[in-house]
Amino acid sequence: MDLENNQGSHARHFRRVAPAWTLFVVGLCGVLAGGLLVYFILVNGNRLADPGDLLEEELPPAKERQTPLQPPKDDLAIVEVVDRVMPAVVAVNSYVPGSYFGRNVLVQSGSGSGAVISKDGYIVTNQHVIDDAAQIMVVTSDSRSFEATVVGEDRLTDLALLKIEQSGLTSIVLGNSEDVRVGETVLAAGNPLGYLKHTVTRGIVSALEREVRAAQSQYAYTYIQTDAVINPGNSGGPLVNLRGEVVGINSAKISGAEGIGLAIPANTVKRVTSDLKKDGRVRRPQLGILIQNLSAYTGDPTDQGVYISKVDSGSPAAKGGLKAGDVITAVGKKEVRYIAQLFDALLSYYPGDKIELTIERNGHSRTVTVVPEEAKTEQ
């Protein structure tokens, strides 16, 4: 009891004798301390509620962030290829004679794409892009326009070689299409619809050695199938792998279907453009035979090989010992399962070369050697 009373007595005494200014200072300190506490809670509460502040700690300093962020590694590879390839992609516009208010003029009849394959101005495109053109204009990636001359054209492979009088151009490399694998990433570059300049689409190689027959001809060649988007105007543009090499020249798409584009293999392009540059025509070997796929002859889709229906008298085939009813199964070391593969293989030879053919006759395999003549140009 005494202790409690003494404490009470001292407290009452303190309250009575404390000066007014002391009470004011104590109150002010309390207000300031409370304000600081509220500010701390609000500010730090907001920081904890803002995820951007948390991310800021993970980013590099502001000075280092001035450099644009790089795309992912896979995308960066594509960006680098596009940077190298697109300067070599051109627009190809063809013109034919027409009339405008009674005046004779040239009117645009078609548009497509092309690829510069040498720095001195040689350009490959599709033959159907420049077919029957009276004038051909090429527009480069830097918007310069040049009139092009036709060095040569080949309807059977749908390829044409053009030349513009300009040097120092950015060119593109023709790769080895035999190295192409199904599933690899490819890019289709060109000018779809004739006005969407320098468009690139991405896809994969969907299939190889698709048989495509030349119109009104027994000739057929194999094409690369891709799901990279190809539209009118893309014809003649390059199909490029991630090494920046041309693996094909885009030529067509299957109408009524999505994601089925076709490109002429680079090895075919190399042979044809080489002949066109040197001779103005493709120097094809001719055997002198009439052929069809064995599967078409027998009606069995599993049968493989090229069936010889007829051998021309006095032809290289007759001189080499080929007969009607023989089935060609290989040219050199290349297996032949259908006509397009046969013509692909023959395109590796020139007239006068010795060609070794493996044939099946009466159930037995044998080898014959044929020395072909030069085929007459089909136009």
Side-chain angles (χ1 to χ4, degrees):
M1 290 292 297
D2 290 341
L3 290 177
E4 290 179 358
N5 291 333
N6 289 339
Q7 291 173 347
S9 173
H10 287 299
R12 286 192 298 270
H13 177 72
F14 178 79
R15 286 193 297 269
R16 285 195 303 266
V17 299
W21 64 267
T22 304
L23 296 176
F24 175 79
V25 171
V26 172
L28 181 60
C29 290
V31 170
L32 291 175
L36 289 173
L37 179 61
V38 170
Y39 175 81
F40 178 83
I41 292 174
L42 290 176
V43 170
N44 286 276
N46 287 335
R47 288 182 58 84
L48 292 175
D50 185 2
D53 287 336
L54 295 178
L55 292 175
E56 188 172 345
E57 296 180 1
E58 302 173 5
L59 293 175
K63 185 177 181 180
E64 298 179 16
R65 295 202 304 271
Q66 292 176 0
T67 303
L69 295 177
Q70 294 295 322
K73 183 178 180 181
D74 290 346
D75 288 349
L76 184 59
I78 292 174
V79 171
E80 291 174 347
V81 169
V82 171
D83 286 344
R84 293 202 309 270
V85 167
M86 291 308 280
V89 179
V90 299
V92 180
N93 300 317
S94 57
Y95 298 83
V96 296
S99 177
Y100 182 75
F101 290 106
R103 293 184 301 159
N104 294 326
V105 296
L106 290 174
V107 296
Q108 186 169 342
S109 59
S111 63
S113 307
V116 179
I117 58 174
S118 69
K119 295 181 179 180
D120 56 348
Y122 283 95
I123 297 168
V124 63
T125 187
N126 282 150
Q127 190 277 334
H128 75 259
V129 170
I130 54 93
D131 192 25
D132 295 328
Q135 184 183 61
I136 301 168
M137 299 300 296
V138 167
V139 182
T140 58
S141 61
D142 55 1
S143 299
R144 290 180 295 167
S145 184
F146 300 91
E147 184 170 358
T149 57
V150 179
V151 178
E153 53 186 307
D154 184 59
R155 294 178 185 271
L156 299 181
T157 56
D158 192 24
L159 290 170
L161 184 65
L162 309 178
K163 178 72 167 64
I164 61 174
E165 295 306 317
Q166 183 67 22
S167 60
L169 297 170
T170 300
S171 61
I172 200 168
V173 177
L174 293 172
N176 183 359
S177 50
E178 290 190 357
D179 293 337
V180 176
R181 300 177 63 186
V182 174
E184 72 171 287
T185 297
V186 286
L187 309 173
N191 302 285
L193 307 182
Y195 61 86
L196 296 176
K197 309 298 184 186
H198 295 93
T199 294
V200 61
T201 58
R202 174 184 180 178
I204 63 169
V205 173
S206 305
L208 299 172
E209 298 187 325
R210 291 300 194 202
E211 186 172 35
V212 177
R213 189 177 295 271
Q216 300 176 342
S217 171
Q218 73 165 343
Y219 282 86
Y221 292 96
T222 63
Y223 280 55
I224 296 170
Q225 179 184 330
T226 179
D227 66 350
V229 177
I230 296 174
N231 288 298
N234 276 111
S235 293
L239 187 69
V240 185
N241 63 20
L242 292 190
R243 293 187 295 277
E245 302 167 334
V246 176
V247 297
I249 294 296
N250 302 317
S251 181
K253 62 176 293 187
I254 304 298
S255 62
E258 294 296 328
I260 303 180
L262 298 170
I264 305 162
N267 288 2
T268 300
V269 177
K270 284 189 282 189
R271 165 60 190 271
V272 170
T273 55
S274 175
D275 279 12
L276 294 179
K277 183 177 181 179
K278 183 179 179 181
D279 301 307
R281 69 183 191 281
V282 178
R283 300 183 58 226
R284 286 183 173 82
Q286 179 174 278
L287 303 180
I289 56 179
L290 185 64
I291 56 178
Q292 61 181 306
N293 286 330
L294 179 61
S295 59
Y297 175 75
T298 64
D300 185 345
T302 64
D303 284 340
Q304 298 182 349
V306 175
Y307 180 80
I308 300 178
S309 304
K310 180 184 176 182
V311 176
D312 294 338
S313 177
S315 67
K319 294 175 183 178
L322 289 174
K323 298 180 179 181
D326 290 344
V327 178
I328 301 174
T329 58
V331 176
K333 296 182 179 180
K334 291 185 177 181
E335 181 185 17
V336 169
R337 302 190 304 275
Y338 44 87
I339 287 176
Q341 289 183 328
L342 172 63
F343 283 114
D344 277 354
L346 291 176
L347 207 54
S348 300
Y349 298 88
Y350 281 94
D353 290 346
K354 292 183 178 180
I355 303 178
E356 189 176 85
L357 302 176
T358 301
I359 63 169
E360 293 285 342
R361 179 184 295 169
N362 299 325
H364 299 284
S365 179
R366 64 177 64 191
T367 300
V368 299
T369 300
V370 179
V371 180
E373 301 171 346
E374 183 172 346
K376 295 180 180 179
T377 302
E378 292 192 22
Q379 296 292 346

